[in-house]
Amino acid sequence: MKSSYASSSDDLHALVNEIKREIQLSNINLDPYSFVSPSAYDTAWLSMIEEENNVGDDELKPMFQDCLDWIMCNQNAREGFWGNSGSYTTVADAGDEGGEEDMYILSSTLACVVALQKWNTGCFHLHKGTRYIERNTEMIIGKYINEERSYPRWFVIKFTGILELAQQLGLHFVFSSRCIDMIKGMFYQRQEIIKREKLVDDCNYKPLLAYLEVLPWKLYVKNKEDIIVKSLDSIDGSLFQSPSATASAFMLTRNTKCLAYLQNLVQKCPNGVPQKYPLNEDLIKLSMVNLIESTGLGEFFGIEIEHVLEQVYRHYEEKDVERMSMSYLADQLHKDSLAFRMLRMHGRDVSPRSFCWFLNDQEMRYQLERNIDSFLLVILNVYRATDLMFPGENDLEEAREYTRNLLKNSRSINEKMIVHELSTPWIARLKHLDHRMWIEDKNSNALSVGKASFLRLNSAYSNKLTHLAAKTFEFRQAKYCRELEELTMWVKKWGLSDIGFGREKTKYSYFATVTSLPYEYAIKFGKLAAKSAILITIADDFFDEVGSFNDLEALTKAVLRWEGEELKGYGKIIFRALDDIVRETANTCRTHHKTDIIVHLRNIWGETFESWLREAEWSKKGHTVSMEEYIRNGMISIAAHTIALSISCLMEPCFPQNKLKQGNYDNITTLLMIISRLLNDLQSFQKEQEQGKINSVLLHLKNHPGLKIEDSIAHIEKIIDSKRKEFMEHVLVDGQSDLPKPCKEIHMSCCKVFEMFFNKKNRYDSDTEMLQDIKKALYDPVNVYELSEIEPMPLMTHGDDFVILPLLLNSLAPNIIEFKRKDEYGAMKTSMCLGRTYSVHKRVMASQLDDHQKHLKIVASQRKPVPMMPSIFAPCFY
């Protein structure tokens, strides 16, 4: 099936240039809040605030007219809902993972129709939104209750509160009997929450008061000044950084600090306000860069990424966590951990203390442990930061163990991304597949956690970036598939595909090579590296399984003198293919860098064949060797350096030639060789024990008779962990290695391949273990969530028919009367009402709508607000 993302290189670069013009990450006047998704729910609450001078006027006017205009212009045209500008599709389209997102859309839509009803404007929008609520409420809340048997706390508080406010303003909805029963259950659940919790609770990151806008009046009417005003943030005047709660606080108290906060908010975010404000501006920019890099677009935005990182690095250590509220502290920790990981990956000198300060903050730890799901993004990013651990960084060890335990205890443990993070360490993940996971992850644009859902990067940007990433991924897939066909032809040409023994790993080798390398390197040298990997596998199997000792000795001597005319059979096939690989590598280096490395390449391969012969001799003759002797030979026989050094020579003209000589390898090369050997030993000791071969795990067990096999495994794992940290430091820190940066990246890619092959099992020797990953990397189209688009509302037709029925719910205990009727088709309908109903005939409604059937912008500019409530609006006054 042809993918819709198939594209040409010119198309990709045209799209890249278009996005660069829009995003302008390197612009010094960049407003980070332009990257933040507006919240329909919070914008609706600001739109309901009345002007100060309304008292005595005949007409009420909104204080923030732009917020009301935003509602009129940002309804989903097709479905009629409002939601985050970056929200995903509705429940019918989003699948099993869209439950809470759809709940947020439902509560946002309720808030928007309430705002329109208050100001008696937007008839088309109001009708469309009401129809969405009536048609989708049962499906949305029913889907969740079937799985969890209860609703999220935030949704219970919001939904019931807005439903009551809608009833107070004269909005009425038609629901089925089943839906009414579920809504009743929600009101009972709210009763339990109100009985159980305090308005302000230090144990709860988002206490009841954070939902002030939808709380029953009786909870705070007696001493609202003390409760609300004393809870305002001393720095910004907000109520828990929530625009909706602060809007409600201002409507109740007319507090000047609240007003200043709201005015600053609307000035800073004129195109819809976010659900959380203020935000850490560095966190916003870093999140955008993180999305770009994680989806595989880093190569297109190199200058912009460096500009942002340099800005952040300039004042990285400057912070004062002492005087921050918990909400600010959470964003600070999120930003610090994200900055640490990105700066360290880009070679900056950063200390773990820059984000591990939270380990000594008991209040911070207490809140993280009590509110795991609220701080999930923070915890996850701290855990990711600990992937880049150097020797002696004990704080990172503690932070990793701490956050790992928190993630295990999260209710979101079944989320695909978290399971992936916990089961597959970063060092064992391949770039290309990681890019796909981020592209397909519906929460890849999550920036922070608000009081109801993820605060997201603005879909105007994230949607385009995701679209570009999907096109880029499938463009690369097409290139890889063509190269794999060429590689398969090469394998057949040199007789390797039908050699008659061993493991046929053409596809495995190519997959592992190109998906671990940056695309630029993969497309230049991936095929050549895969040829080496294929030959190494076949030659290793020849030494292990097929060849007699005389045959092995003859082949090794031929490689050492680089003369294979006297070889026969399998030895001749292997040597001829090897000669072709070495010649191609040397010619490529000579063409690009005017350097002749053919002697060095032959010596490296000769060293590798010698190590295989030595192991064959130990095995066939039953030699006993020391651990030191085994490691010295085994780190060569694993042949990781054979590939890494061959490709490194092609990367840089200034590659130090002396680093190609045996015994003079760079530390980073030596560490790669040791890690790769020990990783292989951990997953092959059982097989090699049966075959009578030597292995580091078995040698350690033999040298320590009192130990169990588990003890020897733990010992080798500890060595790997230590060497891995050294390797990471040599790769990421300037001055630790003489190798140029691109050559370090080659070594890192090679290490990640071995980590992937031997992560908890021997995936390389399995015929099926990696097939699914290969399909995803090379063949399967990207599965991208379709994001909801905000379009101007179309004109309604006279065929739209609906019935208005009133809804009355007591503020705490619902007293719902059900009214049954038959529609024109004879189907029984159930309404929620107060013992009486009324309806509006569609002809009457049509005549009313005819007066308003004009273009959206005209409708939005011809509002006629009428007095509907007291001049000081008291939300949810019952």
Side-chain angles (χ1 to χ4, degrees):
M1 181 180 71
K2 185 177 180 180
S3 168
S4 59
Y5 290 104
S7 183
S8 69
S9 179
D10 290 342
D11 292 338
L12 290 180
H13 283 93
L15 186 54
V16 168
N17 292 331
E18 176 187 335
I19 294 174
K20 280 190 174 186
R21 285 193 297 270
E22 292 182 11
I23 294 181
Q24 297 187 345
L25 271 172
S26 56
N27 186 344
I28 60 173
N29 298 315
L30 170 71
D31 175 19
Y33 283 94
S34 64
F35 294 149
V36 181
S37 172
S39 162
Y41 178 87
D42 292 87
T43 305
W45 275 101
L46 264 72
S47 76
M48 286 189 265
I49 302 175
E50 298 158 3
E51 275 280 14
E52 293 273 18
N53 60 0
N54 274 334
V55 179
D57 292 351
D58 293 336
E59 290 189 354
L60 301 175
K61 296 178 182 178
M63 177 178 286
F64 301 113
Q65 180 66 57
D66 288 346
C67 290
L68 188 60
D69 292 341
W70 187 93
I71 294 173
M72 300 281 285
C73 296
N74 285 274
Q75 185 179 25
N76 182 277
R78 185 184 63 178
E79 300 290 343
F81 64 80
W82 285 268
N84 275 346
S85 191
S87 292
Y88 289 86
T89 50
T90 52
V91 68
D93 303 312
D96 294 339
E97 298 180 351
E100 290 208 28
E101 197 70 42
D102 285 297
M103 288 179 178
Y104 186 78
I105 290 174
L106 180 60
S107 57
S108 297
T109 304
L110 269 168
C112 288
V113 298
V114 164
L116 295 177
Q117 178 79 354
K118 172 181 169 61
W119 296 113
N120 194 24
T121 190
C123 179
F124 309 138
H125 307 75
L126 180 61
H127 171 54
K128 196 82 172 178
T130 302
R131 292 292 292 273
Y132 171 83
I133 293 166
E134 292 177 339
R135 289 173 174 173
N136 291 277
T137 297
E138 180 178 350
M139 179 165 45
I140 291 172
I141 65 178
K143 177 177 182 288
Y144 200 96
I145 193 69
N146 287 340
E147 295 174 358
E148 304 291 337
R149 312 312 303 171
S150 64
Y151 299 99
R153 169 180 173 270
W154 69 265
F155 181 68
V156 170
I157 298 171
K158 277 192 172 187
F159 184 77
T160 54
I162 305 175
L163 209 54
E164 289 175 316
L165 179 57
Q167 176 264 324
Q168 181 192 4
L169 291 175
L171 272 172
H172 313 287
F173 306 101
V174 178
F175 296 124
S176 70
S177 297
R178 177 174 178 266
C179 188
I180 292 171
D181 288 338
M182 289 187 286
I183 293 174
K184 285 180 182 178
M186 232 180 292
F187 274 86
Y188 289 125
Q189 191 176 335
R190 185 180 75 167
Q191 278 182 270
E192 294 301 315
I193 293 172
I194 290 173
K195 288 178 183 177
R196 184 174 63 246
E197 298 183 16
K198 299 176 182 178
L199 268 179
V200 180
D201 185 355
D202 292 338
C203 298
N204 201 323
Y205 170 61
K206 292 295 180 185
L208 280 177
L209 196 60
Y211 301 90
L212 174 65
E213 73 275 9
V214 286
L215 291 181
W217 174 261
K218 64 166 54 180
L219 292 179
Y220 53 85
V221 67
K222 292 182 181 179
N223 54 351
K224 65 180 181 182
E225 291 290 335
D226 287 342
I227 294 175
I228 297 173
V229 175
K230 287 183 179 179
S231 299
L232 296 177
D233 188 278
S234 60
I235 299 176
D236 59 42
S238 73
L239 196 61
F240 301 100
Q241 286 182 266
S242 168
S244 53
T246 310
S248 179
F250 175 70
M251 286 189 277
L252 289 165
T253 66
R254 292 287 158 171
N255 182 275
T256 55
K257 287 185 177 180
C258 289
L259 178 60
Y261 168 86
L262 295 168
Q263 289 172 334
N264 179 265
L265 166 63
V266 172
Q267 183 180 9
K268 196 73 172 177
C269 307
N271 300 312
V273 303
Q275 61 168 306
K276 184 178 177 180
Y277 180 87
L279 290 162
N280 188 303
E281 295 191 4
D282 280 346
L283 173 61
I284 299 171
K285 290 185 282 189
L286 285 170
S287 296
M288 180 63 83
V289 169
N290 188 47
L291 178 65
I292 289 171
E293 288 199 321
S294 298
T295 53
L297 301 177
E299 65 174 90
F300 300 129
F301 294 88
I303 296 174
E304 290 81 0
I305 290 170
E306 282 300 317
H307 175 80
V308 171
L309 293 182
E310 188 57 38
Q311 278 187 325
V312 173
Y313 186 60
R314 214 173 292 140
H315 50 87
Y316 181 54
E317 300 289 347
E318 299 173 10
K319 55 177 170 287
D320 179 14
V321 299
E322 296 294 330
R323 59 193 300 266
M324 293 181 181
S325 67
M326 186 51 58
S327 185
Y328 282 101
L329 272 179
D331 279 352
Q332 184 69 44
L333 178 56
H334 187 176
K335 171 257 173 181
D336 288 344
S337 57
L338 185 57
F340 172 84
R341 180 170 64 84
M342 299 186 74
L343 289 171
R344 180 163 276 194
M345 280 295 295
H346 284 262
R348 304 304 203 283
D349 180 18
V350 287
S351 166
R353 292 193 303 274
S354 59
F355 77 96
C356 287
W357 53 262
F358 81 96
L359 293 172
N360 299 316
D361 188 323
Q362 294 304 314
E363 177 63 18
M364 185 78 234
R365 292 180 68 149
Y366 177 76
Q367 291 292 345
L368 290 175
E369 292 159 16
R370 289 295 299 268
N371 302 280
I372 294 176
D373 291 306
S374 295
F375 292 122
L376 188 61
L377 278 177
V378 181
I379 296 168
L380 188 56
N381 274 281
V382 171
Y383 181 76
R384 285 171 175 158
T386 64
D387 286 328
L388 309 180
M389 200 181 304
F390 296 167
E393 293 185 330
N394 298 325
D395 282 350
L396 287 187
E397 293 272 13
E398 184 181 349
R400 186 170 186 82
E401 186 64 24
Y402 179 75
T403 51
R404 183 178 182 84
N405 289 332
L406 292 181
L407 290 173
K408 286 180 179 178
N409 293 326
S410 168
R411 288 182 301 171
S412 303
I413 192 64
N414 290 325
E415 285 287 334
K416 186 177 180 182
M417 183 65 80
I418 296 178
V419 171
H420 184 61
E421 289 285 346
L422 294 178
S423 63
T424 310
W426 172 82
I427 192 70
R429 300 204 294 266
L430 306 182
K431 283 180 179 288
H432 189 59
L433 282 177
D434 245 17
H435 295 160
R436 182 184 183 116
M437 173 161 281
W438 273 83
I439 294 168
E440 294 182 336
D441 179 29
K442 67 186 180 72
N443 292 322
S444 62
N445 65 346
L447 168 67
S448 182
V449 176
K451 67 184 184 184
S453 71
F454 284 128
L455 179 65
R456 299 182 183 279
L457 294 170
N458 198 316
S459 64
Y461 303 121
S462 63
N463 286 8
K464 286 190 176 181
L465 286 171
T466 302
H467 178 70
L468 172 62
K471 288 170 72 74
T472 302
F473 186 91
E474 294 187 357
F475 173 77
R476 292 170 179 172
Q477 276 186 318
K479 294 277 284 186
Y480 292 156
C481 285
R482 287 195 293 271
E483 282 217 333
L484 179 58
E485 290 176 3
E486 295 172 6
L487 180 63
T488 303
M489 292 173 61
W490 178 87
V491 171
K492 290 180 179 178
K493 173 183 176 182
W494 294 102
L496 300 177
S497 58
D498 52 4
I499 198 168
F501 67 86
R503 299 161 290 176
E504 204 293 304
K505 296 295 181 181
T506 301
K507 193 170 290 187
Y508 271 33
S509 299
Y510 183 74
F511 154 76
T513 301
V514 297
T515 56
S516 64
L517 291 168
Y519 175 72
E520 179 187 0
Y521 303 162
I523 212 63
K524 286 181 180 179
F525 311 119
K527 187 169 61 175
L528 187 54
K531 289 178 181 179
S532 296
I534 293 166
L535 185 71
I536 287 169
T537 303
I538 292 173
D540 184 54
D541 289 342
F542 179 59
F543 275 79
D544 281 349
E545 301 172 9
V546 180
S548 67
F549 189 78
N550 290 336
D551 291 338
L552 304 182
E553 193 173 33
L555 176 57
T556 302
K557 288 180 178 179
V559 172
L560 289 173
R561 66 176 185 270
W562 214 262
E563 173 58 62
E565 290 298 326
E566 298 179 2
L567 292 173
K568 298 178 181 179
Y570 297 139
K572 189 174 186 66
I573 294 173
I574 292 171
F575 182 83
R576 290 176 66 238
L578 172 61
D579 184 60
D580 183 72
I581 292 171
V582 170
R583 286 178 184 277
E584 182 181 353
T585 307
N587 290 338
T588 303
C589 187
R590 194 179 298 112
T591 301
H592 287 88
H593 306 312
K594 311 302 181 187
T595 305
D596 189 355
I597 59 170
I598 194 165
V599 174
H600 293 303
L601 294 176
R602 287 175 176 177
N603 288 340
I604 291 171
W605 279 101
E607 173 190 41
T608 304
F609 273 78
E610 275 189 305
S611 69
W612 289 335
L613 180 65
R614 194 171 296 115
E615 286 183 348
E617 183 179 7
W618 292 344
S619 177
K620 293 179 186 298
K621 298 183 179 180
H623 284 182
T624 300
V625 298
S626 66
M627 177 70 84
E628 182 182 356
E629 189 179 3
Y630 169 78
I631 293 295
R632 188 166 54 246
N633 189 77
M635 59 188 283
I636 298 171
S637 67
I638 195 66
H641 73 301
T642 311
I643 300 175
L645 291 177
S646 298
I647 301 303
S648 293
C649 292
L650 306 179
M651 300 300 303
E652 287 286 325
C654 57
F655 185 88
Q657 299 288 302
N658 64 314
K659 296 295 182 179
L660 295 175
K661 296 178 181 178
Q662 184 180 3
N664 199 39
Y665 296 143
D666 193 272
N667 284 339
I668 193 173
T669 304
T670 303
L671 287 166
L672 168 65
M673 296 163 73
I674 295 172
I675 292 169
S676 303
R677 164 47 60 200
L678 297 181
L679 284 169
N680 179 279
D681 284 2
L682 276 180
Q683 303 304 329
S684 61
F685 71 87
Q686 291 174 315
K687 175 183 174 183
E688 290 174 340
Q689 187 176 31
E690 294 170 359
Q691 296 175 344
K693 296 180 180 178
I694 302 174
N695 178 290
S696 60
V697 177
L698 301 176
L699 274 175
H700 182 266
L701 186 64
K702 181 179 179 181
N703 294 336
H704 300 82
L707 298 182
K708 297 180 181 179
I709 189 68
E710 291 79 11
D711 299 319
S712 293
I713 292 172
H715 175 76
I716 300 301
E717 286 177 340
K718 188 175 180 180
I719 295 175
I720 293 173
D721 185 60
S722 174
K723 297 297 182 183
R724 187 185 285 136
K725 291 172 185 174
E726 287 185 56
F727 177 78
M728 195 79 70
E729 186 174 25
H730 279 75
V731 171
L732 298 178
V733 176
D734 291 338
Q736 291 285 328
S737 169
D738 293 336
L739 300 186
K741 185 177 179 180
C743 302
K744 292 181 181 181
E745 292 179 356
I746 294 296
H747 280 70
M748 174 64 84
S749 297
C750 194
C751 185
K752 286 170 77 75
V753 168
F754 278 92
E755 293 272 6
M756 180 273 296
F757 281 155
F758 304 114
N759 179 37
K760 301 184 179 71
K761 61 183 76 172
N762 189 338
R763 303 183 76 202
Y764 190 68
D765 284 351
S766 169
D767 292 331
T768 59
E769 187 67 37
M770 291 196 293
L771 292 182
Q772 199 61 35
D773 283 349
I774 291 172
K775 282 184 62 182
K776 288 181 180 180
L778 303 180
Y779 304 111
D780 291 348
V782 180
N783 179 27
V784 181
Y785 277 81
E786 292 295 328
L787 302 179
S788 60
E789 296 180 0
I790 303 300
E791 304 168 4
M793 282 290 297
L795 299 180
M796 291 170 53
T797 66
H798 289 201
D800 288 328
D801 188 14
F802 67 98
V803 178
I804 301 177
L805 292 166
L807 162 69
L808 183 64
L809 299 175
N810 185 272
S811 63
L812 288 181
N815 181 21
I816 302 171
I817 301 175
E818 297 183 11
F819 173 75
K820 299 184 182 296
R821 64 180 175 82
K822 288 186 177 181
D823 64 12
E824 57 184 301
Y825 302 105
M828 186 63 71
K829 299 287 186 180
T830 305
S831 316
M832 304 168 70
C833 64
L834 185 61
R836 62 184 177 82
T837 67
Y838 64 91
S839 64
V840 178
H841 194 275
K842 71 174 183 178
R843 291 180 182 174
V844 177
M845 177 56 67
S847 66
Q848 293 173 348
L849 297 181
D850 281 340
D851 295 335
H852 297 280
Q853 287 193 356
K854 301 173 183 177
H855 191 272
L856 172 64
K857 291 184 178 178
I858 299 176
V859 173
S861 66
Q862 295 182 350
R863 294 170 297 278
K864 295 182 180 180
V866 297
M868 294 178 59
M869 303 195 67
S871 59
I872 297 181
F873 174 50
C876 306
F877 182 80
Y878 308 112

